[in-house]
């Protein structure tokens, strides 16, 4: 069974931690190697960009993968989101310069909007010019290439530092396990169950006590 996991970025480290806690830790992974083994025989990991994982799963190159819901929806990949994980929390928001009077997406008709999520931006906004950027979205208004931005944020700190204010939230996202619809094999099911048990156990304690029978 092949599982695609993020090679870098905000989802990489939490994914590695979760796999380890589930007894599915990565082994034999020299730096920059694309493939690695698993502590459980029969599982092989593929390290790729998180935004490529939905398509890899859809095409059957891998049996399952861990990525963000935002990336699944942006790519439009036909995959099943089998399990929400407990990390990667963020929101896709519309932000504008602090001195702009716009209060929502409807106030930006005819404006330019910079984003790394063109498909989702077009879904939530009508009548705008979408400017596709590959990074540092928040600086676009000050470079004069856009009037507003649509970007992911978890705390909003980066936006505030760059003197941008959020005027609308389009969607919330979280890390998730994805697999091919109708291809939920026993192996994939066992993999998902192992991760689910860890997620369910977090924040809980196991308590044992000796008490008198009358209680």
């Amino acid at each position: 069974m092949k599982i695609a996991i993020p090679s870098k970025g905000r989802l990489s480290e939490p994914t590695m931690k979760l796999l380890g806690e589930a007894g599915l830790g990565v082994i034999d992974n020299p730096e920059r190697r694309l493939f690695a083994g698993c502590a459980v025989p029969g599982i092989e990991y593929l390290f790729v960009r998180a935004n490529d994982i939905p398509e890899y799963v859809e095409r059957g190159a891998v049996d399952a993968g861990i990525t963000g819901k935002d990336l699944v929806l942006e790519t439009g990949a036909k995959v099943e989101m089998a399990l929400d994980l407990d990390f990667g929390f963020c929101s896709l928001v519309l932000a504008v310069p602090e001195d702009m009077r716009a209060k929502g997406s409807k106030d930006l008709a005819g404006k330019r909007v910079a984003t790394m999520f063109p498909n989702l931006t077009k879904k939530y906004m009508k009548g705008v010019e979408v400017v596709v950027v590959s990074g540092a979205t928040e600086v676009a208004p000050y470079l004069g290439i856009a009037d507003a931005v649509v970007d992911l944020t978890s705390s909003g700190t980066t936006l505030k530092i760059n003197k941008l204010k959020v005027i609308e939230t389009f969607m919330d996202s979280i890390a998730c396990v994805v697999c091919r619809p109708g291809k939920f094999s026993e192996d994939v099911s066992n993999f998902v169950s192992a991760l689910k048990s860890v997620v369910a156990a977090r924040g809980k304690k196991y308590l044992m006590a000796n008490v008198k029978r009358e209680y």
Side-chain angles (χ1 to χ4, degrees), residues 86-121:
D86 60 348
F87 60 88
F89 298 98
C90 58
S91 299
L92 187 70
V93 302
L94 171 63
V96 299
E98 292 176 344
D99 58 358
M100 183 180 283
R101 295 184 177 181
K103 296 182 179 179
S105 55
K106 294 182 179 179
D107 297 327
L108 295 176
K111 301 293 186 179
R112 296 166 299 167
V113 180
T115 186
M116 297 173 63
F117 299 86
N119 294 326
L120 286 174
T121 299

Side-chain angles (χ1 to χ4, degrees), residues 65-83:
I66 295 177
T67 187
K69 276 190 174 182
D70 54 294
L71 298 175
V72 174
L73 297 176
E74 171 62 24
T75 61
K78 297 178 181 178
V79 297
E80 178 181 344
M81 290 183 274
L83 175 67

Side-chain angles (χ1 to χ4, degrees), residues 3 18 63-67 72 79-85 174-179 184 188 191-192 195-196:
I3 307 293
L18 174 62
D63 298 284
I66 295 177
T67 187
V72 174
V79 297
E80 178 181 344
M81 290 183 274
L83 175 67
D84 286 349
L85 303 176
I174 191 175
C176 62
V177 180
V178 294
C179 62
F184 209 75
V188 172
F191 177 81
V192 172
L195 300 186
K196 186 176 182 179

Side-chain angles (χ1 to χ4, degrees), residues 49-64:
R49 298 192 311 164
N51 49 325
D52 290 332
I53 291 176
E55 184 175 356
Y56 281 26
V57 173
E58 178 185 24
R59 293 180 178 275
V62 294
D63 298 284

Side-chain angles (χ1 to χ4, degrees), residues 133-144:
V133 296
S134 58
T137 307
E138 62 275 359
V139 303
Y142 299 99
L143 295 177

